[in-house]
């Protein structure tokens, strides 16, 4: 059965950079079992009700500003999969999870930056999914869990965001591998709880984790919560493995977690 993943998408510049993290993601895409399709929960698509894409071919959304022109020339025209979309709708319906179908929205950079590094040939169908940061972590986990059987059909489920993502704390001039102690402290706490599959602590991370308010600021928790969707999708196996972690700009975490 194919694992699910939480993958940090970092800053948009990753899309045009060649560094150890982009190289790692390229290798990951080549070494994973070939997925039939990808279901991706992006931090950059928020909605009050779960949204499921039913799109023939996605447009590329440039949901950022002030970056080099080369970023705005990138295209990732992934196609959708009506079959997998129908499977998702059936699973949500059976388990009482409210949802709406989205037929027009393209792929935001939380999706295409990651997908382009994993599958640069744009040859794997994609079903884009929204996240709701206002749900409890347990509710987010349950949405992921409801899709777990898709992994038996070789569907790759990804949560795209960042474990430490505090834009107000970034040090853009520092990119030599320095890591703020608070960012590392939060990630190390997270590592121990994920490896133990300690959902009780994880679901109350805001009060349990050291430096939680810095690592996951209340105004920016949308980047953290895709972790719970991806984790829930592997509830049947309950194993977690940290396969990559590095940092940029003092505290921006590039963590990749494999579940199942």
């Amino acid at each position: 059965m194919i694992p699910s993943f939480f993958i940090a998408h970092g800053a948009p510049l990753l899309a045009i950079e060649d560094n150890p993290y982009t190289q790692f993601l390229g290798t990951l895409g080549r070494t994973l079992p070939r997925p039939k399709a990808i279901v991706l929960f992006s931090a950059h698509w928020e909605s009050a009700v779960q949204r499921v894409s039913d799109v023939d071919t996605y447009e590329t959304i440039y949901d950022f500003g002030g970056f080099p022109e080369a970023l705005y020339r990138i295209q990732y025209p992934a196609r959708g999969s009506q079959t997998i979309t129908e499977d998702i709708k059936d699973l949500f319906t059976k388990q009482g999870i409210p949802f709406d179908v989205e037929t027009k929205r393209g792929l935001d950079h939380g999706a295409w930056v990651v997908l382009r590094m994993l599958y640069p040939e744009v040859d794997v169908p994609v079903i884009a999914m929204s996240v709701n940061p206002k749900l409890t972590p347990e509710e987010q986990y349950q949405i992921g869990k409801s899709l777990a059987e898709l992994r038996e059909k070789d569907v790759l489920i990804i949560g795209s965001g960042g474990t430490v993502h505090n834009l107000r704390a970034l040090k853009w001039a520092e990119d030599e591998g320095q890591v703020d102690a608070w960012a590392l402290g939060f990630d190390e706490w997270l590592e121990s709880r994920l490896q133990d599959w300690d959902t009780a602590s994880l679901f109350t991370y805001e009060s349990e984790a050291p430096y939680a308010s810095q690592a996951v600021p209340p105004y920016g928790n949308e980047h953290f919560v895709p972790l719970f969707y991806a984790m829930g999708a592997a509830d049947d196996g309950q194993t977690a493995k940290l396969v990559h972690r590095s940092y940029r700009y003092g505290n921006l975490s590039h963590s990749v977690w494999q579940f199942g």
Side-chain angles (χ1 to χ4, degrees):
M1 185 186 300
I2 197 165
S4 62
F5 284 86
F6 174 81
I7 300 177
H9 60 249
L13 285 171
L14 275 181
I16 55 174
E17 292 178 328
D18 182 12
N19 58 45
Y21 185 50
T22 63
Q23 293 166 15
F24 168 80
L25 290 179
T27 300
L28 180 64
R30 293 191 296 271
T31 55
L32 283 175
R34 184 74 176 174
K36 177 181 178 181
I38 300 168
V39 174
L40 189 144
F41 293 88
S42 172
H44 289 275
W45 186 11
E46 298 178 48
S47 65
V49 175
Q50 180 64 54
R51 298 189 70 82
V52 183
S53 288
D54 186 2
V55 174
D56 290 332
T57 302
Y58 292 92
E59 295 182 355
T60 305
I61 301 174
Y62 309 100
D63 50 335
F64 46 76
F67 288 95
E69 181 62 30
L71 274 176
Y72 303 93
R73 293 196 295 266
I74 292 174
Q75 297 284 321
Y76 196 84
R79 68 187 189 279
S81 170
Q82 193 171 51
T83 300
I84 302 301
T85 293
E86 289 299 321
D87 287 344
I88 293 170
K89 290 162 61 178
D90 289 344
L91 290 169
F92 282 163
T93 299
K94 290 176 183 176
Q95 298 178 67
I97 295 174
F99 67 92
D100 290 327
V101 176
E102 171 59 55
T103 61
K104 295 182 180 179
R105 190 180 188 276
L107 294 177
D108 58 66
H109 85 271
W112 63 258
V113 167
V114 168
L115 293 171
R116 185 169 175 267
M117 287 185 277
L118 292 174
Y119 302 104
E121 300 302 319
V122 203
D123 54 358
V124 181
V126 175
I127 298 85
M129 307 283 282
S130 66
V131 299
N132 183 356
K134 295 182 179 179
L135 294 178
T136 66
E138 185 172 8
E139 289 170 325
Q140 294 152 354
Y141 184 99
Q142 290 298 323
I143 290 173
K145 182 179 177 180
S146 73
L147 303 180
E149 69 181 64
L150 290 178
R151 294 173 46 232
E152 299 176 2
K153 300 180 180 181
D154 296 326
V155 173
L156 173 61
I157 299 175
I158 296 174
S160 172
T163 58
V164 181
H165 189 277
N166 186 339
L167 294 181
R168 298 176 187 174
L170 294 184
K171 304 170 183 176
W172 292 100
E174 295 185 16
D175 197 17
E176 301 299 325
Q178 308 96 324
V179 184
D180 290 337
W182 59 266
L184 186 59
F186 178 82
D187 264 346
E188 289 179 339
W189 177 91
L190 184 65
E191 179 179 357
S192 68
R193 300 310 186 274
L194 285 172
Q195 289 178 341
D196 290 340
W197 210 269
D198 181 1
T199 53
S201 295
L202 289 164
F203 291 166
T204 55
Y205 75 91
E206 290 176 294
S207 58
E208 293 274 340
Y211 314 107
S213 63
Q214 290 171 274
V216 188
Y219 67 85
N221 69 326
E222 77 286 339
H223 275 75
F224 186 65
V225 301
L227 178 81
F228 294 118
Y229 293 87
M231 187 183 183
D235 179 80
D236 52 352
Q238 298 193 0
T239 60
K241 180 180 180 182
L242 179 65
V243 293
H244 180 91
R245 184 165 68 209
S246 56
Y247 296 86
R248 301 285 296 277
Y249 316 121
N251 50 66
L252 183 64
S253 177
H254 288 166
S255 294
V256 179
W257 280 94
Q258 175 179 315
F259 301 117

